[in-house]
C-alpha cells in the first residue's frame, strides 16, 4: 500500500498516520518529523531548516527531494509507506513521480483530509508535544499531565515552535498557495479521495479504512 496524506497543517495527518501504521504495518514517513529530528540534533540541515520552519515557510524542494529519495529506498519502504507532509509543492510531486517510476507494484492513493481554518487554529494553538519522544498532547482532546512531564518517557512537554497563532496563519497561507494545487494535480490522475477531518479521530479513521480497503 502506497499512500499520501494530504491536507493543511493540523487537519490530523499525523494522528491518522499513526493509526494506519498500527493496522497496516507500513512505515509513516513524516518530512516534518525528519526535519525536527535534524533541528534537535543541530545538524547543518537542522540549523537551516529551523529558521524556515519558525517562519512557517517551506524548506527548499531540492533538500526535501534528496532526503526523500534516500528514505524511500530504504528496505522498510519496499512494501509500501504513508507519506505525511510530503509532497507539498508541484515540483515535489513531480519528483516523487520520478522516484516511484523505478519501483514495481506502486498503486498510489492520495487522501485529502479537510478541516475549516478556524478549527485548525483551535487545534494547533492547543497542541503540546513531548520535547523528547514527540508524543502528541492536546489541551482540548488529550490534556498533558499536570506535572508537565510526558507519560511515555518523562520528557518535558512543550509547545511546538511553529504552533504560535501568527505562524499557524502563515503556514495556512503557504498551504493555500503552494500545496493546495496538488489537489488538482492528483484529481487529474484519478487517485484522490477526500475525507471530512472535522469528525472525531475514530470516525475519520473509519472513512480512511474504507478507502484503503476498496
Ligand atoms: P509538518 O510537521 O508536516 O506539519 P504540518 O503539515 O503543518 O502538520 P501538523 O503536524 O501541524 O498537523 P497534522 O495534520 O499532522 O495534524 P496532527 O495529527 O498533528 O511540517 C512542519 C514544517 O516542516 C513545515 O511548516 C515546513 O516548514 C517543514 N516541512 C515539512 N515537510 C515539508 C516538505 N515536504 N517541504 C517543505 N517543507 C516541509 O493534529 C493536530 C492537532 O489536532 C493534535 O493536537 C491532535 O491531537 C488534534 N487532532 C487530530 N485529529 C483530531 C480530530 N479528529 N479532532 C480533534 N482534534 C484532532
Amino acid at each position: 500500500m502506497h499512500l499520501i496524506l494530504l491536507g493543511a497543517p493540523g487537519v490530523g495527518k499525523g494522528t491518522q498516520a499513526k493509526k494506519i501504521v498500527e493496522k497496516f504495518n507500513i512505515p509513516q514517513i513524516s518530512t516534518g518529523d525528519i526535519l525536527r529530528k535534524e533541528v534537535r540534533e543541530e545538524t547543518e540541515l537542522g540549523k537551516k531548516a529551523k529558521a524556515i520552519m519558525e517562519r512557517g515557510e517551506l524548506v527548499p524542494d531540492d533538500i526535501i527531494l534528496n532526503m526523500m529519495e534516500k528514505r524511500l529506498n530504504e528496505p522498510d519502504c519496499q512494501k509500501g509507506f504513508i507519506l505525511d507532509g510530503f509532497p507539498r509543492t508541484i515540483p515535489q510531486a513531480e519528483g516523487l513521480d520520478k522516484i516511484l517510476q523505478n519501483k514495481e507494484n506502486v498503486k498510489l492513493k492520495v487522501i485529502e483530509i479537510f478541516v475549516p481554518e478556524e478549527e485548525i487554529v483551535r487545534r494547533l494553538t492547543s497542541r503540546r508535544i513531548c520535547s523528547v519522544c514527540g508524543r502528541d498532547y492536546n489541551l482540548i482532546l488529550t490534556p498533558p499531565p499536570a506535572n508537565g512531564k510526558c507519560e511515555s518517557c518523562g520528557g518535558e512537554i512543550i509547545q511546538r515552535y511553529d504552533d504560535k497563532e501568527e505562524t499557524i496563519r502563515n503556514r495556512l497561507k503557504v498551504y493555500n498557495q503552494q500545496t493546495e494545487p496538488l489537489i488538482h494535480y492528483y484529481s487529474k490522475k484519478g487517485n484522490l479521495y477526500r475525507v471530512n477531518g472535522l469528525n472525531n479521530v475514530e470516525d475519520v479513521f473509519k472513512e480512511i479504512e474504507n478507502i484503503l480497503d476498496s
Side-chain angles (χ1 to χ4, degrees):
M1 179 189 304
H2 299 81
L3 175 67
I4 295 175
L5 290 179
L6 189 62
V11 296
K13 302 181 297 293
T15 303
Q16 294 300 324
K18 288 185 179 62
K19 295 183 74 65
I20 301 167
V21 169
E22 265 174 37
K23 171 148 189 203
F24 294 93
N25 198 24
I26 47 171
Q28 168 195 8
I29 302 169
S30 157
T31 37
D33 285 348
I34 300 174
L35 291 168
R36 277 185 290 279
K37 183 164 179 277
E38 300 278 340
V39 171
R40 274 199 305 278
E41 291 172 359
E42 298 182 359
T43 63
E44 278 312 303
L45 167 57
K47 284 179 201 154
K48 197 167 170 188
K50 184 162 190 238
I52 298 171
M53 291 163 84
E54 276 176 344
R55 293 196 298 271
E57 288 165 10
L58 297 183
V59 173
D61 289 335
D62 56 335
I63 295 182
I64 297 287
L65 280 167
N66 244 320
M67 195 170 94
M68 288 305 281
E69 182 158 22
K70 281 190 207 121
R71 181 65 187 93
L72 294 176
N73 281 323
E74 284 174 20
D76 64 326
C77 290
Q78 300 322 305
K79 281 200 199 131
F81 45 72
I82 307 157
L83 299 179
D84 161 11
F86 170 86
R88 249 176 156 98
T89 62
I90 296 284
Q92 287 184 22
E94 290 169 347
L96 175 65
D97 285 346
K98 280 203 193 111
I99 297 170
L100 296 183
Q101 250 171 27
N102 305 322
K103 298 192 181 295
E104 284 170 15
N105 300 324
V106 175
K107 197 164 175 288
L108 191 65
K109 283 185 178 171
V110 183
I111 298 184
E112 183 214 347
I113 307 177
F114 178 77
V115 173
E117 286 203 3
E118 283 318 304
E119 170 65 10
I120 288 178
V121 174
R122 197 176 79 100
R123 285 185 190 178
L124 290 185
T125 48
S126 45
R127 171 167 58 189
R128 300 292 180 274
I129 58 160
C130 171
S131 56
V132 178
C133 71
R135 178 169 166 174
D136 180 273
Y137 295 90
N138 190 292
L139 300 180
I140 304 165
L141 200 67
T142 47
N147 67 2
K149 302 285 177 209
C150 176
E151 284 166 334
S152 301
C153 73
E156 193 195 347
I157 296 170
I158 55 163
Q159 185 169 36
R160 225 168 86 170
Y161 42 77
D162 55 352
D163 277 348
K164 307 271 178 331
E165 181 163 349
E166 195 189 339
T167 317
I168 295 167
R169 298 225 179 252
N170 195 40
R171 286 159 64 196
L172 289 169
K173 201 167 102 196
V174 168
Y175 175 81
N176 292 335
Q177 288 168 348
Q178 300 194 51
T179 310
E180 209 179 50
L182 293 182
I183 294 173
H184 182 59
Y185 183 88
Y186 287 113
S187 84
K188 269 196 316 192
K189 287 179 184 271
N191 56 353
L192 180 78
Y193 303 80
R194 190 176 220 225
V195 305
N196 181 0
L198 254 188
N199 291 329
N200 68 44
V201 171
E202 290 308 322
D203 285 348
V204 176
F205 184 58
K206 270 185 211 137
E207 257 193 86
I208 292 178
E209 270 182 312
N210 287 340
I211 295 165
L212 296 180
D213 287 335
S214 67

